[in-house]
Amino acid sequence: MNLIETSRAIKDGHISLGIELGSTQIKSVLITDDFNTIASGYYVWENQYKDGVWTYPLQQVWDGIRESYKQLAADVYSKYHQPLINIGSIGVSAMMHGYLVFSNSGDLLTPFRTWRNNLTEAATDALTDLFDFNIPQRWCIAHLYQAILNKEAHVDSIDFMTTLAGYVHWRLSGEKFLGIGDASGAFPIDEQTGDYDAVFLGMFSQLEQVKTYTWNIRSILPKVLKAGQPAGYLTEEGARLLDEKGTLTAGSVMAPPEGDAGTGMVATNSVRKKTGNISVGTSAFSMVVLDKPLKKVHRDIDIVMTPDGSPVAMVHTNNCSSDINAWADIFKQFAGRLGIELQADKLYEALFLVAAKARPDAGSLVNYSYLSGENITKMPSGRPLFVRTANCEFNLANFILAQLYAAFAPLKIGMDILTNEEQIRTEVLIAQGGLFKTPIIAQQTLANALNTPITVMKTASQGGPWGMAVLAAYVKKNDLRLEDFLDQKVFENPETLTLNPEPMGVAGCKQFIDLYRAGLSIEHHAVDMLTEKQQNPVS
Ligand SMILES: Nc1ncnc2c1ncn2[C@@H]1O[C@H](COP(=O)(O)OP(=O)(O)O)[C@@H](O)[C@H]1O
Ligand SMILES: O=C(CO)[C@@H](O)[C@@H](O)COP(=O)(O)O
């Protein structure tokens, strides 16, 4: 579309908005009906560790959404000279799972517990045994049951439990829905009915500790919808939450709110059976759409759903890029001392590119990027740790490569279970996430770590919110199955780059992983010996 055509599309509302609340950024992306991004906005935020809980204040959710929307609207006006009055369809996605519970008057009952918390081991052991289905620590039902086991007073007053995307959607539209992908990280889904598993709901309700409450699990969970189904309309109040200037009008059709896993699958065109993709950011997770059930229950493989309701095997690690960011900030501060003010992209590029000069084994340096606990390596909480012997090759190139290897190490260990025990392997994995903003380096390192070709699309670094915008557009025109819609309408001619594993890199990464495994008890010891500093309670 040329400028005039795009400007007309904006005026006529032939546009879709995707908003994704990721762990480090709230991003908004606006697309035209040909799925091209025409404007974007973002807001930077960070989880806080307060009172032993990883959290974000809900006020910041709205400050961030408004700021990111404001930037996007300004971007539209400056490029196309049009105010944003009427947006055809809107979709919200976010980091999944966690614990957000509300009373019947809509009050938040306890500060938001994010996916990053490892507080629910007892609940997950009990529920996994009960259902004979893996319940990971970060899932909503695990948080709820743990709160019950802890006898937390607020549980009595629960009227509604949802995810972050479900919460934002509810406030924008007044509707309590979840897309099936996001719902599958709240409570297990039955593929046949496309709804929460009725047998498991019954089993949960019959638990002694659960029976004592007046609420029923079914009634506090949001209703489940599949991609393409309308999930309400933007209300007047919702429009004011997005756009405080009052320009935006109500009435946009809303897509089912999704999780960032689902939007990652859409953004990489990986909803078809046997396709695989990876998301790398604060956390890392690989997803393969299953063509048959797994042979057995694995505590390290989560079963979630595509946005149109097919089961997916997910390997999820809580830690990926946070330690890289912490070190990048140290280098930024040092550059600042020399009078050099570095923008983030320049900083990451300068650091990542030097890794190309590293020894393939990263000079025998070892790093544990555990800002929080790690399920895959059974680490109860996190103490980021860099360790080396006196005679190893300690230089910047090896240091940065060790950081990258460490970011992918838990994922590599988890993926080995998928490939070795379940023989699930895809020809290629399509990756997306902020680490690919600097081309090649993270992509090649991931290919070497997983010993699998990795494809990255041109849109990789803004994948999630763009994927959500595409799901919002799909609500307006859903005459094809989602996988066909993506193949035929969205990804007719994708711009991609595939990198194959390099034999020396594969061998070098294996050496790193051997050292990493050997030293895991050092990390355990650090967890035991160093107490986490507490911050003030969340307001
Ligand atoms: N220019 C860049 N080059 C490489 N990595 C980057 C760059 N900018 C940001 N990153 C990394 O990308 C991460 C954000 O990725 P993203 O997929 O948006 O994650 P999240 O959903 O966890 O916020 C940052 O935390 C940082 O580690
Ligand atoms: O838990 C999941 C997916 O299962 C994610 O929502 C969570 O790891 C957050 O992802 P990001 O690191 O914000 O991309």
Side-chain angles (χ1 to χ4, degrees):
M1 272 190 208
N2 63 29
L3 193 143
I4 304 291
E5 287 164 341
T6 305
S7 172
R8 191 171 315 125
I10 295 166
K11 192 158 180 245
D12 295 344
H14 295 156
I15 46 178
S16 300
L17 171 67
I19 302 175
E20 184 158 286
L21 296 99
S23 298
T24 60
Q25 283 187 29
I26 300 175
K27 297 179 204 153
S28 306
V29 164
L30 194 69
I31 62 172
T32 33
D33 287 351
D34 55 5
F35 315 104
N36 281 317
T37 299
I38 53 167
S40 60
Y42 71 98
Y43 170 83
V44 175
W45 68 345
E46 193 54 71
N47 54 196
Q48 307 164 10
Y49 191 67
K50 294 202 167 169
D51 278 354
V53 170
W54 289 103
T55 189
Y56 299 85
L58 289 195
Q59 183 54 45
Q60 203 182 357
V61 167
W62 294 107
D63 293 346
I65 288 177
R66 267 195 291 269
E67 182 55 35
S68 142
Y69 180 86
K70 196 160 113 188
Q71 268 186 28
L72 175 138
D75 196 18
V76 169
Y77 200 84
S78 64
K79 285 199 249 177
Y80 305 105
H81 320 301
Q82 284 292 340
L84 263 185
I85 297 173
N86 162 23
I87 300 177
S89 61
I90 299 181
V92 180
S93 53
M95 57 185 102
M96 296 168 66
H97 327 288
Y99 192 55
L100 270 171
V101 283
F102 299 87
S103 69
N104 61 7
S105 46
D107 296 325
L108 181 68
L109 291 169
T110 187
F112 175 29
R113 298 174 190 170
T114 75
W115 59 271
R116 191 166 214 168
N117 292 285
N118 278 40
L119 301 167
T120 64
E121 193 174 358
T124 55
D125 287 349
L127 292 178
T128 302
D129 280 355
L130 179 72
F131 299 154
D132 195 24
F133 179 95
N134 181 38
I135 300 294
Q137 289 217 34
R138 61 193 195 291
W139 284 25
C140 308
I141 191 62
H143 280 279
L144 174 63
Y145 192 44
Q146 191 64 51
I148 292 171
L149 295 179
N150 297 347
K151 300 190 171 41
E152 294 184 43
H154 74 263
V155 178
D156 252 337
S157 315
I158 296 178
D159 181 65
F160 180 42
M161 173 168 85
T162 190
T163 63
L164 183 56
Y167 161 69
V168 174
H169 180 92
W170 171 42
R171 295 291 311 276
L172 294 181
S173 67
E175 303 284 358
K176 294 176 174 172
F177 288 124
L178 280 186
I180 192 164
D182 207 18
S184 69
F187 193 93
I189 295 283
D190 176 350
E191 186 187 359
Q192 302 312 320
T193 60
D195 202 349
Y196 302 113
D197 189 303
V199 175
F200 293 174
L201 285 172
M203 287 169 144
F204 185 79
S205 304
Q206 289 311 309
L207 285 168
E208 282 311 316
Q209 303 93 326
V210 176
K211 272 200 243 167
T212 56
Y213 295 100
T214 50
W215 49 257
N216 176 276
I217 181 66
R218 186 70 192 83
S219 65
I220 64 170
L221 283 166
K223 291 206 172 58
V224 182
L225 293 178
K226 288 188 181 173
Q229 292 183 275
Y233 296 89
L234 181 71
T235 60
E236 199 54 57
E237 196 188 334
R240 291 299 67 77
L241 280 170
L242 274 182
D243 174 21
E244 53 196 346
K245 274 174 74 184
T247 312
L248 180 65
T249 51
S252 316
V253 62
M254 301 288 297
E258 260 306 341
D260 53 6
T263 59
M265 294 176 217
V266 170
T268 54
N269 193 12
S270 307
V271 300
R272 205 177 274 283
K273 291 202 187 287
K274 293 173 85 167
T275 54
N277 75 98
I278 293 196
S279 167
V280 293
T282 305
S283 61
F285 41 105
S286 69
M287 295 164 279
V288 177
V289 187
L290 295 171
D291 61 339
K292 54 179 183 310
L294 296 185
K295 292 180 201 140
K296 60 176 193 155
V297 175
H298 293 269
R299 294 304 296 268
D300 297 322
I301 303 176
D302 312 340
I303 302 296
V304 292
M305 293 280 157
T306 61
D308 57 344
S310 295
V312 172
M314 173 192 277
V315 174
H316 180 277
T317 72
N318 283 355
N319 297 282
C320 180
S321 66
S322 299
D323 204 25
I324 295 180
N325 296 353
W327 283 107
D329 196 49
I330 293 289
F331 289 110
K332 182 177 182 316
Q333 289 178 32
F334 179 68
R337 295 285 300 156
L338 300 175
I340 305 166
E341 285 312 318
L342 283 174
Q343 295 302 310
D345 287 349
K346 191 83 209 140
L347 173 71
Y348 283 95
E349 186 186 283
L351 291 173
F352 279 25
L353 290 184
V354 79
K357 298 190 169 69
R359 275 183 43 159
D361 68 348
S364 303
L365 310 181
V366 186
N367 196 76
Y368 298 94
S369 309
Y370 297 157
L371 196 76
S372 57
E374 189 53 73
N375 43 311
I376 295 284
T377 48
K378 314 282 175 276
M379 204 57 67
S381 67
R383 305 287 182 270
L385 182 69
F386 173 69
V387 57
R388 65 189 171 104
T389 54
N391 61 354
C392 63
E393 284 183 53
F394 184 39
N395 57 39
L396 185 61
N398 287 339
F399 179 76
I400 299 297
L401 185 61
Q403 289 295 330
L404 285 167
Y405 279 160
F408 300 141
L411 187 67
K412 154 78 184 155
I413 294 171
M415 289 288 283
D416 283 349
I417 302 171
L418 260 192
T419 37
N420 301 339
E421 294 182 25
E422 290 285 346
Q423 284 80 46
I424 293 177
R425 183 176 254 288
T426 55
E427 292 297 309
V428 59
L429 286 163
I430 307 181
Q432 56 101 19
L435 284 175
F436 303 115
K437 263 191 177 176
T438 299
I440 309 290
I441 303 294
Q443 185 182 356
Q444 185 64 64
T445 310
L446 187 59
N448 295 346
L450 301 182
N451 197 9
T452 302
I454 299 289
T455 297
V456 164
M457 292 183 168
K458 200 176 153 221
T459 50
S461 65
Q462 56 165 24
W466 180 77
M468 191 64 239
V470 169
L471 283 172
Y474 184 56
V475 177
K476 293 192 293 186
K477 199 160 176 18
N478 60 6
D479 48 343
L480 292 171
R481 291 171 56 177
L482 182 61
E483 59 204 37
D484 298 327
F485 170 79
L486 293 177
D487 275 354
Q488 294 172 29
K489 307 277 181 200
V490 185
F491 292 97
E492 279 170 302
N493 240 331
E495 278 186 61
T496 62
L497 172 70
T498 301
L499 295 178
N500 286 319
E502 300 163 324
M504 287 211 346
V506 174
C509 184
K510 186 178 173 311
Q511 281 171 280
F512 174 89
I513 295 286
D514 289 345
L515 279 181
Y516 182 94
R517 285 185 192 271
L520 269 171
S521 54
I522 317 171
E523 173 71 18
H524 268 291
H525 203 57
V527 173
D528 292 341
M529 302 312 289
L530 302 178
T531 313
E532 187 77 64
K533 192 168 153 271
Q534 293 294 324
Q535 292 167 308
N536 300 326
V538 186
S539 53

